[in-house]
Amino acid sequence: MKKYSILILVFISLTINFSIAQEEQPAILDDFKPSAINQPGKEFPQVNSEGRVRAQISAPEATSVKLDIGGVKYDLVKDEAGIWTGESAPQDVGFHYYQLNIDGASVPDPGALLYFGACRWGSGIEIPSDDQDIFAVKDVPHGHVHEILFPSESTQKSRRAFVYTPPGYETETSKQYPVLYLQHGYCENETSWFRQGHANLIMDNLIAEGKAKPFIIVMTYGMTNEIEFGGLRNFDITPFQTVLADELIPYVDSHFRTLANQENRAMAGLSMGGFETRLITLNKPDLFSHYGLFSGGMYKPEEIADHDQLKLIFISCGSKERPDGVKNAVNELQNQGFNAVSYISEGTAHEFHTWRRSLHQFAQLLFK
Amino acid sequence: MKKYSILILVFISLTINFSIAQEEQPAILDDFKPSAINQPGKEFPQVNSEGRVRAQISAPEATSVKLDIGGVKYDLVKDEAGIWTGESAPQDVGFHYYQLNIDGASVPDPGALLYFGACRWGSGIEIPSDDQDIFAVKDVPHGHVHEILFPSESTQKSRRAFVYTPPGYETETSKQYPVLYLQHGYCENETSWFRQGHANLIMDNLIAEGKAKPFIIVMTYGMTNEIEFGGLRNFDITPFQTVLADELIPYVDSHFRTLANQENRAMAGLSMGGFETRLITLNKPDLFSHYGLFSGGMYKPEEIADHDQLKLIFISCGSKERPDGVKNAVNELQNQGFNAVSYISEGTAHEFHTWRRSLHQFAQLLFK
């Protein structure tokens, strides 16, 4: 009997150890595929169906290589050929910024396409989502994204903006269009909304489905206080408001076939861009009639001076942010008679998939 | 006397040693400034007045960091804080691709802007030149660069192109414009001509100075045989010719206000893009009237079927390539009665500064 007891104890002990080991190092599903936004011909980085990222890089003489994503650094492991490979924990669906760390140097992954975020051009990865179809390149008419340089007296330079014109703009040459001014977040830039956000493709698809009215989108750089990347506490909206209201809008209205009035002009932004949208729309009620804040603050009813000119307030965020705050703010606005709409992006945080979905919702409500 | 002799010998000896040391490790002029194409707020890479590149990166745990530029790897040296710094030999004026190598891993420099070349997005550096003014952002009217997606039945996808429309295109809405189709080189892409080439800024400045007729420029991806990056020996022009002639040109002519005829259509390209230009212009004499080959081959008089329809042949290269070949080919064409022009870019090789200057010359001759 004693022998059996010992055997059973050993078995139990092994089982417990095995369970603990599994908890610490869960089996990783081996269905990795190259990320949809890799550089041409590159096999890595890859993503599996759990949303894990597998990075790989050749660094034969390195002693430590890490994958730095979502605020966590994951160790890669070296093989005999000097190639390092490793995986992250599962990530939320959608787009994430990340980088590699090679013996202490933080660098872009040469396998991935590059996006401006965190104040630098860095690697991006796309975790597949059920609704990624909203920004797929489909066989539908496509709008154009114009890179423009507009004169800015207030900042003494030519400033860059991107302007989306919807399909048909070039051929229906007598038609005029409403305009959405759409702002990026802190330490992003004027490329972010159409590169990682796919604003142009979201619009192409919505227009092809008859779900959105064709309109122009203008995206420019919102961090006019360029020297101070320090923080938003002492943020002064005046320099950017001047560029937008006194320089960019007149340029757009004179170079594109716009409906150049308050009724046909919207402003929206994500994160810091929402913060800017809130300040500028409140300061300049005569300029915009449709407001959108994506993960970027709230309006209080008492802040809004002119009820009649305001057509729509749209406030959104990810379910992993503060959805109750958004819903409560919108309820309060509705109770005061405003046309206010809330939207919560399920399963996402303060990242671009939340904002792609927000634009997809917001665009369907605009100028109607 | 003996004492003096010894002193003189010591002096001579020191002088010789000093001279040798100087030859082996020439003094580097310490007038380094951040490259004009650094990422926002980045101090490195830097360039000095000799055209040397100084790279710097923090990599505390690395054992070897190199600057890889112009086919040479230069060792960087580590300081106590783990920051590596080092310089290259002097580089030619203009734009160069480069990368860093950290313990065997080849990666982009996080300090520099990124450009598509060598089949990847990699770091770029700009060595100042006497004529960099030709692509400076000036206080002149600026054209727009449209990113377009055009349908391509032959390749079963939406393909990307960039279209430069000159200043005035948006406001002078009854005017029609000639078009230049402008191709990138091997392992570059449709962004190369306006990002590293600054084709749009070269045109804005020429037009403002009254030196070029305003025309449209179309830039698309020329490596239609996408799977085979192997070489040009078995290159088949048919797939790209089909995209260009049967899909892109009709799209451009139906979406932009072009003068849609042979007389007002030019084609040019750099390196492999010149190779493509030569084949397509010879195959399709009814499409183009002005031909440009920048570091990309020659035409022989006997190849050209229709004399009367051809308005201009422009052939160029850098003085560090084969300038005599270019001059001889152009002489031969001139002797046969062709309107042929040669251009040699002084002090440059098979790189983008040669091609910026070539475009600057070619554009002044077009459609006149």
Side-chain angles (χ1 to χ4, degrees):
Chain A
M1 282 295 286
K2 208 171 179 184
K3 267 188 188 171
Y4 283 114
S5 305
I6 290 166
L7 269 174
I8 288 164
L9 272 173
V10 168
F11 179 74
I12 291 171
S13 164
L14 281 171
T15 312
I16 290 168
N17 284 338
F18 182 66
S19 305
I20 289 169
Q22 269 208 323
E23 253 183 49
E24 283 175 351
Q25 298 182 339
I28 289 176
L29 283 179
D30 201 13
D31 57 356
F32 284 92
K33 287 179 192 146
S35 161
I37 54 173
N38 278 2
Q39 293 203 23
K42 299 286 174 139
E43 283 297 305
F44 287 89
Q46 300 190 338
V47 182
N48 79 354
S49 58
E50 300 169 288
R52 291 180 198 273
V53 176
R54 175 173 280 172
Q56 183 173 96
I57 189 164
S58 169
E61 299 143 40
T63 52
S64 159
V65 178
K66 293 172 201 291
L67 163 61
D68 182 356
I69 185 167
V72 180
K73 287 183 180 140
Y74 300 90
D75 284 315
L76 274 58
V77 175
K78 189 178 179 175
D79 72 7
E80 285 168 10
I83 294 170
W84 296 74
T85 309
E87 297 83 20
S88 75
Q91 306 292 309
D92 288 343
V93 296
F95 176 87
H96 309 282
Y97 303 109
Y98 78 100
Q99 59 188 355
L100 298 180
N101 189 284
I102 301 170
D103 280 347
S106 288
V107 292
D109 182 346
L113 289 180
L114 294 129
Y115 299 85
F116 198 80
C119 282
R120 56 158 171 72
W121 288 93
S123 311
I125 192 136
E126 184 73 33
I127 311 295
S129 54
D130 289 343
D131 60 344
Q132 62 191 8
D133 196 54
I134 64 172
F135 57 85
V137 180
K138 295 182 188 170
D139 187 16
V140 298
H142 295 288
H144 294 181
V145 179
H146 308 231
E147 179 173 338
I148 69 168
L149 288 168
F150 64 97
S152 164
E153 217 173 274
S154 71
T155 61
Q156 290 286 306
K157 62 189 275 197
S158 293
R159 302 189 69 84
R160 189 167 71 157
F162 290 90
V163 179
Y164 168 81
T165 53
Y169 182 88
E170 288 76 25
T171 45
E172 295 165 49
T173 54
S174 61
K175 196 172 169 181
Q176 292 175 301
Y177 296 83
V179 187
L180 164 63
Y181 289 80
L182 185 62
Q183 288 306 126
H184 61 82
Y186 183 67
C187 275
E188 295 174 337
N189 74 7
E190 65 273 29
T191 67
S192 305
W193 256 115
F194 68 99
R195 286 280 169 257
Q196 48 268 54
H198 300 304
N200 51 328
L201 297 172
I202 290 170
M203 290 308 304
D204 289 348
N205 291 335
L206 281 175
I207 293 166
E209 294 163 19
K211 289 183 180 169
K213 217 173 149 173
F215 55 83
I216 290 167
I217 302 180
V218 180
M219 300 156 278
T220 197
Y221 187 57
M223 297 178 68
T224 316
N225 309 24
E226 280 159 42
I227 297 153
E228 293 225 29
F229 279 145
L232 296 176
R233 202 179 305 178
N234 302 318
F235 186 81
D236 177 10
I237 194 64
T238 316
F240 178 57
Q241 184 173 293
T242 302
V243 168
L244 184 75
D246 301 342
E247 296 168 348
L248 180 55
I249 290 178
Y251 183 92
V252 169
D253 283 340
S254 63
H255 287 75
F256 293 87
R257 296 194 316 277
T258 62
L259 291 161
N261 54 44
Q262 189 260 4
E263 195 183 339
N264 287 290
R265 206 181 285 121
M267 183 171 183
L270 72 88
S271 193
M272 182 198 74
F275 182 85
E276 294 178 329
T277 297
R278 186 179 156 275
L279 291 174
I280 293 177
T281 51
L282 293 176
N283 288 345
K284 299 270 185 184
D286 292 344
L287 278 185
F288 304 98
S289 52
H290 299 69
Y291 309 169
L293 309 182
F294 310 160
S295 309
M298 321 282 172
Y299 290 96
K300 287 180 184 170
E302 62 271 23
E303 292 175 324
I304 301 166
D306 193 333
H307 231 245
D308 298 335
Q309 287 194 298
L310 175 56
K311 303 292 179 203
L312 172 71
I313 295 178
F314 178 94
I315 307 181
S316 71
C317 72
S319 68
K320 297 185 175 187
E321 298 189 86
R322 288 196 221 160
D324 289 343
V326 164
K327 285 177 201 160
N328 293 340
V330 165
N331 281 340
E332 216 182 311
L333 288 162
Q334 287 170 339
N335 291 341
Q336 298 299 317
F338 289 94
N339 179 27
V341 174
S342 68
Y343 169 72
I344 308 302
S345 164
E346 218 35 66
T348 63
H350 198 75
E351 290 192 283
F352 239 107
H353 207 63
T354 298
W355 307 320
R356 294 162 170 170
R357 286 171 169 173
S358 295
L359 176 63
H360 184 253
Q361 295 294 320
F362 183 55
Q364 300 181 51
L365 305 173
L366 282 184
F367 310 118
K368 282 184 172 172
Chain B
M1 282 295 285
K2 209 171 180 183
K3 265 188 190 169
Y4 282 114
S5 305
I6 290 168
L7 268 175
I8 287 164
L9 273 173
V10 167
F11 179 74
I12 290 170
S13 165
L14 280 172
T15 310
I16 290 168
N17 282 338
F18 183 67
S19 304
I20 290 169
Q22 268 208 325
E23 250 182 51
E24 282 174 352
Q25 296 182 339
I28 288 175
L29 282 180
D30 200 14
D31 57 356
F32 284 92
K33 288 179 190 145
S35 161
I37 54 173
N38 279 1
Q39 293 203 22
K42 299 286 175 142
E43 283 297 306
F44 288 88
Q46 300 190 339
V47 182
N48 79 354
S49 58
E50 300 170 289
R52 291 181 198 273
V53 176
R54 175 173 280 171
Q56 183 173 96
I57 189 165
S58 169
E61 298 143 41
T63 53
S64 160
V65 178
K66 293 172 203 289
L67 163 61
D68 182 357
I69 186 166
V72 180
K73 287 184 180 138
Y74 301 89
D75 283 316
L76 274 58
V77 175
K78 189 178 177 174
D79 73 7
E80 285 167 11
I83 295 170
W84 295 75
T85 309
E87 297 82 20
S88 75
Q91 306 291 310
D92 288 343
V93 296
F95 177 87
H96 309 282
Y97 303 109
Y98 79 100
Q99 59 187 356
L100 298 180
N101 189 284
I102 301 170
D103 281 347
S106 288
V107 291
D109 181 344
L113 289 180
L114 295 129
Y115 299 84
F116 198 79
C119 283
R120 55 155 171 74
W121 288 94
S123 311
I125 192 138
E126 184 72 32
I127 311 295
S129 54
D130 288 343
D131 61 344
Q132 62 191 9
D133 196 55
I134 64 173
F135 57 84
V137 179
K138 295 183 190 171
D139 187 15
V140 299
H142 296 287
H144 294 181
V145 179
H146 308 230
E147 178 174 338
I148 69 169
L149 288 168
F150 64 97
S152 164
E153 216 172 275
S154 71
T155 61
Q156 291 287 305
K157 60 188 278 199
S158 293
R159 302 189 69 85
R160 189 167 70 157
F162 291 90
V163 180
Y164 168 80
T165 53
Y169 182 88
E170 289 76 23
T171 45
E172 295 165 50
T173 53
S174 61
K175 195 172 170 183
Q176 292 176 300
Y177 297 82
V179 186
L180 164 63
Y181 288 80
L182 185 61
Q183 288 305 125
H184 61 84
Y186 182 67
C187 275
E188 295 175 336
N189 74 6
E190 65 274 28
T191 67
S192 305
W193 256 115
F194 68 99
R195 286 277 170 259
Q196 47 267 54
H198 300 303
N200 52 327
L201 297 172
I202 289 170
M203 290 309 303
D204 290 347
N205 291 335
L206 281 175
I207 293 165
E209 293 162 20
K211 290 182 179 168
K213 215 172 150 175
F215 55 83
I216 290 167
I217 302 180
V218 180
M219 299 157 278
T220 197
Y221 187 58
M223 297 178 69
T224 315
N225 309 24
E226 279 158 43
I227 296 152
E228 293 225 29
F229 279 146
L232 296 177
R233 200 178 307 176
N234 302 316
F235 186 81
D236 177 10
I237 195 63
T238 317
F240 178 57
Q241 185 173 291
T242 302
V243 168
L244 184 76
D246 301 342
E247 296 168 348
L248 180 55
I249 291 178
Y251 183 91
V252 168
D253 283 340
S254 63
H255 287 76
F256 293 88
R257 296 194 316 277
T258 61
L259 291 162
N261 54 45
Q262 190 259 5
E263 196 184 337
N264 288 289
R265 206 181 284 121
M267 184 171 183
L270 72 90
S271 192
M272 182 198 75
F275 182 85
E276 294 177 329
T277 297
R278 185 178 157 277
L279 291 174
I280 293 177
T281 51
L282 293 176
N283 288 345
K284 299 271 185 183
D286 292 344
L287 278 185
F288 304 99
S289 53
H290 298 69
Y291 309 169
L293 309 183
F294 310 160
S295 309
M298 321 280 172
Y299 290 96
K300 288 178 184 171
E302 62 270 24
E303 292 176 325
I304 301 166
D306 192 333
H307 230 245
D308 298 334
Q309 286 195 299
L310 175 55
K311 303 292 178 202
L312 172 71
I313 295 178
F314 177 94
I315 307 181
S316 71
C317 73
S319 67
K320 298 186 175 186
E321 298 189 87
R322 288 196 220 161
D324 289 343
V326 164
K327 285 178 202 159
N328 292 339
V330 166
N331 280 340
E332 214 182 310
L333 288 162
Q334 287 170 340
N335 291 340
Q336 298 299 317
F338 289 94
N339 179 27
V341 174
S342 69
Y343 169 72
I344 308 301
S345 164
E346 218 34 67
T348 63
H350 198 74
E351 290 191 282
F352 240 106
H353 207 62
T354 299
W355 307 321
R356 294 162 170 170
R357 287 172 170 172
S358 296
L359 176 63
H360 184 253
Q361 295 294 321
F362 183 55
Q364 299 181 50
L365 305 173
L366 281 185
F367 311 119
K368 283 183 171 170

